[in-house]
Amino acid sequence: DAGVTQSPTHLIKTRGQQVTLRCSPKSGHDTVSWYQQALGQGPQFIFQYYEEEERQRGNFPDRFSGHQFPNYSSELNVNALLLGDSALYLCASSLVSLYGYTFGSGTRLTVV
Amino acid sequence: QKEVEQDPGPLSVPEGAIVSLNCTYSNSAFQYFMWYRQYSRKGPELLMYTYSSGNKEDGRFTAQVDKSSKYISLFIRDSQPSDSATYLCAMSEAGNTPLVFGKGTRLSVIA
């Protein structure tokens, strides 16, 4: 049974560019949350998607946007990249009716 | 003051030692308390999960929550080199509400 799958594993982008990260949730899960983990810090909540809608959002600017598809997979988009956006981006899936998150291994984004 | 405070360490102990990790928090609405283990370049892996106050034991791991003091702990008995990782505490107010993490404590268990 596959857990949470994220792609790509690593990528390097230039300041000002746009990036799309992808997440496939654990089988049976219907909710996807995204977190940003800067080096040496704990993960910070970006937003959560359920039923293809953004349900909750953390303290991140509008440059961060997302989408959830009918098969529950999700994308995180970041526009106008800044050097400070360099981080590990984690996707976590869950079932709305039960407590418990499963995290993927993350996408490491480097902005140069 | 951050919502969740955790000493980042690093913490280095000999194999077989008892390890104590802890976090304090300020939001009295937190009801769910978790400990995650994160190996280098990997995502967090859930170790222990506690609802409200009390103790929970799972093998070599014991989690304690004291809501009156806003203090949670994780104890690791008979620590092994394979326990070397970063340990993150996390909390949330309700089911499927966002997790608030501490900075993580980096632990090294020396053989």
Side-chain angles (χ1 to χ4, degrees):
Chain A
D1 178 26
V4 178
T5 304
Q6 292 188 244
S7 63
T9 305
H10 302 86
L11 75 166
I12 299 173
K13 290 286 188 178
T14 304
R15 273 180 301 172
Q17 284 188 317
Q18 179 264 345
V19 68
T20 298
L21 311 182
R22 294 177 175 82
C23 172
S24 293
K26 181 178 179 179
S27 178
H29 283 183
D30 56 11
T31 303
V32 172
S33 303
W34 288 90
Y35 288 80
Q36 180 196 65
Q37 187 176 22
L39 198 61
Q41 303 294 320
Q44 282 200 294
F45 174 72
I46 303 174
F47 42 53
Q48 182 184 84
Y49 277 85
Y50 171 65
E51 290 187 330
E52 302 179 48
E53 289 191 6
E54 183 182 292
R55 294 291 173 156
Q56 301 179 81
R57 188 179 183 91
N59 189 24
F60 278 80
D62 292 345
R63 299 186 296 109
F64 289 78
S65 64
H67 190 78
Q68 186 180 36
F69 299 94
N71 67 352
Y72 307 119
S73 67
S74 176
E75 288 181 350
L76 164 65
N77 301 293
V78 187
N79 294 323
L81 284 167
L82 304 174
L83 295 179
D85 295 332
S86 296
L88 180 68
Y89 287 85
L90 295 163
C91 172
S93 72
S94 57
L95 192 59
V96 73
S97 58
L98 289 175
Y99 192 82
Y101 294 91
T102 300
F103 281 84
S105 290
T107 294
R108 185 162 297 280
L109 171 65
T110 302
V111 182
V112 297
Chain B
Q1 182 190 12
K2 293 197 72 173
E3 271 194 296
V4 179
E5 301 275 4
Q6 182 177 10
D7 185 341
L11 182 62
S12 184
V13 301
E15 183 177 359
I18 297 174
V19 176
S20 173
L21 305 169
N22 54 73
C23 291
T24 59
Y25 63 94
S26 57
N27 184 353
S28 58
F30 287 143
Q31 297 276 16
Y32 295 82
F33 303 91
M34 287 132 286
W35 286 95
Y36 284 86
R37 178 174 62 196
Q38 186 174 27
Y39 292 112
S40 181
R41 301 187 177 279
K42 295 291 187 183
E45 168 196 11
L46 181 64
L47 275 178
M48 301 285 288
Y49 151 56
T50 307
Y51 172 72
S52 194
S53 282
N55 295 354
K56 189 171 186 178
E57 188 173 320
D58 184 1
R60 297 185 294 112
F61 299 90
T62 300
Q64 292 183 350
V65 175
D66 182 349
K67 291 187 69 180
S68 63
S69 302
K70 298 190 178 67
Y71 186 90
I72 72 169
S73 301
L74 177 71
F75 298 94
I76 307 174
R77 290 182 298 280
D78 187 26
S79 56
Q80 303 295 310
S82 58
D83 295 327
S84 298
T86 295
Y87 289 80
L88 295 154
C89 63
M91 311 172 189
S92 67
E93 295 183 11
N96 268 308
T97 55
L99 297 176
V100 181
F101 284 86
K103 290 180 75 168
T105 300
R106 193 168 61 178
L107 171 67
S108 294
V109 180
I110 310 301

